[in-house]
């Protein structure tokens, strides 16, 4: 059951953080550039409530991550919804996610894949992923997620050496920003 209250609390927290960061002149991932949340602080919770339908495990994961250190690094609820929608729209079967953090977008991607689908998820810090793993299993998609720990550039080179080139329908890059060029080139 998706309730406006549960989405509204998450959305309100996100909107408050966005505006507080902007007032301090910050431009971190969750605080930079135009987003749905930047349109109007009152509009974002409404858009989430009416425009997204996250599963119960995904809602619970968002709430759990908000209590963890560095919660601002989590992908926003609308981002997770959009990525899941893209996977469904494309009929994707195999997704590469570069940068998992706490696993909210990983859960959204895996949930949108068909039963035989797979998310190859690359993350440097296994401690961060422990939060998401509990909810991946609760949602019944843990078996669709191939989590590989280590530097993403090295993991991508290994994937290419294993014959993984050209085998992904979608690549989502959200990791160490300094290495984006390398991730992008290897993803091609």
């Amino acid at each position: 059951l998706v309730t406006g209250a549960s989405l509204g609390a998450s959305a309100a927290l996100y909107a408050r953080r966005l505006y507080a960061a902007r007032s301090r002149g910050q431009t971190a991932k969750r605080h930079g550039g135009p987003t749905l949340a930047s349109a109007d602080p009152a509009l974002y919770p409404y858009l989430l409530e009416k425009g997204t339908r996250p599963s119960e495990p995904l809602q619970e994961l968002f709430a759990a991550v908000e209590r963890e250190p560095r919660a601002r690094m989590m992908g926003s609820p609308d981002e997770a919804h959009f990525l899941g929608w893209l996977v469904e729209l494309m009929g994707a079967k195999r997704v590469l996610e570069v940068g998992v953090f706490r696993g909210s977008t990983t859960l959204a991607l895996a949930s949108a894949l068909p039963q035989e689908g797979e998310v190859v998820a690359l993350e440097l810090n296994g401690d961060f992923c422990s939060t998401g793993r509990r909810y991946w299993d609760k949602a019944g998609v843990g078996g669709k997620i191939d989590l590989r720990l280590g530097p993403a550039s090295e993991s991508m080179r290994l994937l290419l050496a294993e014959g993984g080139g050209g085998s992904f329908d979608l690549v989502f890059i959200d990791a160490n920003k300094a290495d984006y060029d390398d991730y992008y080139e290897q993803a091609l």
Side-chain angles (χ1 to χ4, degrees):
L1 174 67
V2 177
T3 65
S6 62
L7 284 175
S10 179
L13 175 66
Y14 180 74
R16 281 194 307 274
R17 286 182 179 160
L18 173 81
Y19 287 98
R22 286 217 174 127
S23 69
R24 293 187 305 269
Q26 293 178 338
T27 58
K29 174 194 170 221
R30 295 227 8 210
H31 307 298
T35 67
L36 289 175
S38 66
D40 182 329
L43 181 61
Y44 187 68
Y46 173 83
L47 290 172
L48 283 183
E49 180 182 345
K50 301 298 182 189
T52 64
R53 297 288 181 252
S55 66
E56 186 175 319
L58 185 55
Q59 287 182 64
E60 291 172 4
L61 177 54
F62 281 128
V65 172
E66 287 172 356
R67 294 186 297 270
E68 297 285 341
R70 300 184 184 173
R72 65 177 175 74
M73 290 174 44
M74 173 178 61
S76 65
D78 57 300
E79 177 182 42
H81 176 77
F82 178 71
L83 290 168
W85 177 77
L86 276 179
V87 165
E88 290 176 2
L89 180 70
M90 296 171 59
K93 290 187 174 59
R94 196 155 190 243
V95 174
L96 176 63
E97 181 179 30
V98 183
V100 173
F101 185 52
R102 301 275 185 199
S104 57
T105 53
T106 312
L107 176 53
L109 291 164
S111 297
L113 287 169
Q115 195 58 37
E116 71 280 3
E118 176 185 42
V119 176
V120 176
L122 310 180
E123 175 57 47
L124 180 63
N125 187 334
D127 291 339
F128 285 145
C129 300
S130 64
T131 307
R133 281 182 173 174
R134 292 190 305 272
Y135 296 95
W136 301 344
D137 291 336
K138 185 174 184 175
V141 298
K144 292 182 184 181
I145 300 168
D146 175 6
L147 177 62
R148 299 182 183 206
L149 299 175
S153 290
E154 291 176 26
S155 296
M156 292 178 82
R157 278 190 276 286
L158 285 171
L159 276 170
L160 289 170
E162 294 169 4
S167 67
F168 293 97
D169 301 306
L170 176 74
V171 177
F172 173 53
I173 300 172
D174 189 16
N176 178 22
K177 310 309 182 231
D179 291 331
Y180 265 32
D181 288 347
D182 184 46
Y183 303 151
Y184 175 77
E185 290 297 326
Q186 289 194 69
L188 293 176

